[in-house]
Amino acid sequence: MFDQSRKLAVSRRFFLRGTGVAAGGLALLGDARAATATDEPMISGPGMVPLTVNVNGRSYEISAEPCVTLAELLRDGLDLTGTKIGCDRGSCSACTVWLDGAPVASCMLLAIDVGARAVTTIEGLAHGDTLHPVQEAFIAHDAMQCGYCTPGMVMSSAALLERDPHPATEDIQAALSGHICRCGGYPHIVDAVLAVGQTRKA
Ligand code: FES
Ligand code: FES
């Protein structure tokens, strides 16, 4: 359950009304507010609402305020702190996770809007002690300094390699163009992703 002691401050800005709520989120509310189609604005919160989220192949039943973002839910509700929050406004991509295999900024998505889509975080990329090839390549190419941007970089790089097993430098730069590395580690990061593609080619 979401830790009440760490509950986030409620603001009227975060009340969800009518069309501002996606169908997937409504389905999770499970009460009369979601079930009736009237002209009345539908409001959820500010109290907790029940959610079911599928993260890294595991289903979690959890309650959270409607204003809670997916990034906050992962970190504070599920203790999956590999996902980082940098800007918290969609500008740095540090919080990137996969939603049904596609990279998204988890700070820009409300947890109640995730619905039945599968969330994959950096914790779900490795198989036990076997790291994902991108994680191995980041280590081999010294592609991190402070490491704060690294989980997001890895998630987007791994998604790119799913789409294109042998990306060129320009493809990698385009795929990572929304990611900010304040340590300036871009050359090593691109080298790492290039190396994974070249290894697969070989
Ligand atoms: S923390 Fe989500 S984009 Fe920066
Ligand atoms: S390694 Fe420090 S922000 Fe990228």
Side-chain angles (χ1 to χ4, degrees):
M1 297 286 287
F2 196 79
D3 183 353
Q4 285 273 10
S5 67
R6 300 167 75 183
K7 195 173 78 169
L8 301 164
V10 173
S11 159
R12 292 182 69 84
R13 289 184 303 126
F14 296 111
F15 283 21
L16 299 179
R17 296 173 187 274
T19 55
V21 182
L26 284 175
L28 293 170
L29 298 181
D31 63 19
R33 292 169 300 179
T36 55
T38 70
D39 291 337
E40 294 289 318
M42 285 181 286
I43 301 172
S44 54
M48 299 283 188
V49 294
L51 302 176
T52 302
V53 285
N54 179 342
V55 181
N56 298 333
R58 181 173 163 194
S59 183
Y60 295 87
E61 306 285 337
I62 192 165
S63 294
E65 292 171 347
C67 60
V68 169
T69 66
L70 175 58
E72 292 165 336
L73 185 80
L74 292 169
R75 291 180 54 83
D76 298 334
L78 304 182
D79 212 21
L80 294 171
T81 55
T83 298
K84 305 303 182 202
I85 298 177
C87 64
D88 206 15
R89 61 186 62 187
S91 297
C92 74
S93 299
C95 63
T96 299
V97 300
W98 291 356
L99 208 57
D100 278 349
V104 298
S106 59
C107 74
M108 297 297 286
L109 180 66
L110 292 175
I112 64 168
D113 286 339
V114 171
R117 290 174 289 181
V119 178
T120 307
T121 70
I122 189 73
E123 290 90 348
L125 214 54
H127 293 289
D129 291 338
T130 305
L131 295 179
H132 186 281
V134 173
Q135 293 172 308
E136 294 278 13
F138 268 56
I139 294 169
H141 288 262
D142 202 13
M144 68 200 86
Q145 292 182 52
C146 77
Y148 205 81
C149 71
T150 307
M153 291 277 192
V154 168
M155 295 307 289
S156 284
S157 300
L160 169 65
L161 287 158
E162 292 286 324
R163 301 192 301 273
D164 177 0
H166 317 297
T169 298
E170 302 73 36
D171 304 321
I172 299 166
Q173 289 170 337
L176 299 181
S177 60
H179 290 258
I180 294 175
C181 175
R182 291 166 178 81
C183 300
Y186 303 106
H188 287 203
I189 291 167
V190 172
D191 285 350
V193 183
L194 261 180
V196 177
Q198 285 164 359
T199 301
R200 288 181 173 179
K201 216 175 226 173

